[in-house]
Amino acid sequence: MNRTTKSARSAKASFYCSACGNEQPRWFGHCPACKEWNTAVEAPAGGSPGAKSAGGGARRGAARWVPAGAEARTGVPVPLADVELGHVERVRTGLREIDRVLGGGIVPGSLLLVGGDPGIGKSTLMLQLAMAIARAGERILYVSGEESEEQIRLRARRLGEVPPTLLLLCETDLESVLEAAAQAKPSALVVDSIQTLSRADLEGGPGTVTQVRECALALLHYAKGSRTPVFLVGHVTKDGAVAGPRVLEHMVDAVLYLEGERYQHYRVLRAAKNRFGSTNELGVFEMLDSGLREVPNPSEAFLSDGKRAEPGVAVVASLEGSRPLLVEVQALVSSSFYGTPQRVTSGFDPRRLAVLIAVLERRVGLKLGRHDVFVTVTGGLTLDDPGTDLGVALAIASSFRSRPLLEGTLSLGEVSLSGELRRVARLDARLREAAQLGFKRAGFPRAQVSDAEGCGLETVPLASVREAFDALLGEKVAPPRPASEASEERRG
Ligand code: TYD
Ligand code: MG
């Protein structure tokens, strides 16, 4: 009895911020959480999302996300040690890279959010995932609110044979989706996208904060209640977050981002949150005419054509999760025509670049002050690993002095402000990867000599960037002659 009066009261008192989803009992002009103005929205009638039955039979009474079959235990604490683990078998999707990112497969009843820029390949990835699971004989329900049946059939045709257990529903009404799911009882549900779903009994069109939140919540109950994994595709806003309330990201078990440069063909799937595994794992795909193809050896992919010696090119080994990736970094240094020289990066933090340039100026004596510096990471990858600092610094120095790095050289080390090299994590794994790909030598922090034993590379232990500059750069190569001179010579 007490409980009903309490929930009635809380139902009355609810406003929340349409930018971040922060809830407040009173109306506000300025969100105390995200500091945005005029974002207060009244919560849907009925207040707390559980109070209404949106679930079309998927949800009974008050919202609770207890797995089906556990009804008898509801509300009674159980000893954690007695909770059975037998049924938490992960389901392999058949796509190795997705399994890797998820930490070894899909956990039953999990709610997963897949975000990414428009056109990056989210729908393609989800359809491929659905096809892969269906190929194992499982029933999959793919719900699309964005495309027509023909459009999806056309896409599927490019991706290969369509298994008969893959069911398609083009629908934007949440109730209908849940009803269809309750009837079809699929082994997994894909919703493309959460921003197109809506509940008819709520105000506001699809994509509004209320709708996104309520629909995601209903799907959360469906997932937990029926132990069906649910994949939600989410759009991404300009600043890179999944559009809609922040609470969406809190609600789901895992947030995966599909990233990459739209006009390059590599795509990286990364977990920003993962309740069932590491957030560092990364899956690499290549976008082909026949959909996304898993890249079994990404290091080969990210090295353009291997170990050529050209000024401004360095190879680093970046640790992505448990896997070291060899990546090529290119730098170009040229004299600046402007008062303020330009520093442009792609795939590398510009502030980190500023630090490296300052270290090169002060500790190595390279006068970069009047030069533009451009740094690119190949393959559309982003380098966050500080162990890649030395490679970037050497690429810049190499371009500036027109001295290519010695052929087949890998450089590793975090650069400190004093110009010294700091240790990098898991040096042995990185060196082994390089040795496998035919590299000859590696420069790395001197403190780690013992880690490098038996790696199969010529080892060059280094104390500082200055030492690396002296030890790893080759002879100066002649810069290309201006085109006018060359053509004059030809005439003469
Ligand atoms: P899509 O999955 O529709 O992206 P999203 O759902 O993230 O908006 O993919 C869009 C792009 O992928 C589109 O520009 C075409 C390209 N593509 C291929 O290159 N090969 C293919 O086999 C498919 C299906 C798409
Ligand atoms: Mg899409």
Side-chain angles (χ1 to χ4, degrees), residues 115-128 142 146-147 154-159 192 233-235 258 262-263 265 267 286-292:
D117 289 331
I120 203 75
K122 301 180 294 297
S123 304
T124 308
L125 182 68
M126 286 298 108
L127 192 58
Q128 271 181 278
Y142 185 100
E146 309 210 321
E147 287 156 303
L154 272 177
R155 173 179 292 133
R157 195 171 67 182
R158 298 168 73 173
L159 305 178
D192 186 3
V233 172
H235 292 173
L258 187 63
R262 193 162 165 191
Y263 298 104
H265 52 276
R267 302 284 184 273
E286 202 176 349
M287 180 61 99
L288 304 175
D289 281 344
S290 53
L292 289 158

Side-chain angles (χ1 to χ4, degrees), residues 134-299:
R135 225 166 266 143
E138 302 283 345
R139 206 193 339 245
I140 304 296
L141 179 57
Y142 185 100
V143 177
S144 177
E146 309 210 321
E147 287 156 303
S148 70
E149 285 158 13
E150 293 83 57
Q151 280 175 310
I152 297 169
R153 183 69 188 87
L154 272 177
R155 173 179 292 133
R157 195 171 67 182
R158 298 168 73 173
L159 305 178
E161 193 156 330
V162 185
T165 48
L166 174 52
L167 306 178
L168 177 64
L169 175 70
C170 291
E171 181 59 71
T172 55
D173 179 53
L174 176 76
E175 305 262 342
S176 314
V177 169
L178 287 170
E179 240 156 64
Q183 266 178 19
K185 297 201 176 55
S187 312
L189 173 67
V190 176
V191 176
D192 186 3
S193 63
I194 184 67
Q195 278 89 6
T196 53
L197 276 195
S198 62
R199 248 174 70 175
D201 57 333
L202 293 183
E203 274 179 39
T208 57
V209 171
T210 314
Q211 291 284 11
V212 169
R213 184 170 86 150
E214 297 297 305
C215 291
L217 205 71
L219 288 165
L220 173 71
H221 295 305
Y222 167 73
K224 304 292 167 191
S226 63
R227 300 185 49 80
T228 312
V230 176
F231 288 86
L232 305 178
V233 172
H235 292 173
V236 158
T237 58
K238 237 191 296 160
D239 44 337
V242 175
R246 255 274 121 88
V247 281
L248 186 58
E249 287 174 40
H250 296 304
M251 232 187 266
V252 299
D253 295 309
V255 182
L256 309 180
Y257 280 103
L258 187 63
E259 300 167 345
E261 296 290 326
R262 193 162 165 191
Y263 298 104
Q264 287 179 344
H265 52 276
Y266 289 111
R267 302 284 184 273
V268 173
L269 186 70
R270 203 187 275 280
K273 162 183 174 178
N274 190 356
R275 286 192 184 140
F276 311 118
S278 151
T279 50
N280 295 322
E281 290 298 344
L282 154 148
V284 182
F285 297 88
E286 202 176 349
M287 180 61 99
L288 304 175
D289 281 344
S290 53
L292 289 158
R293 187 180 71 92
E294 299 175 271
V295 177
N297 193 345
S299 286

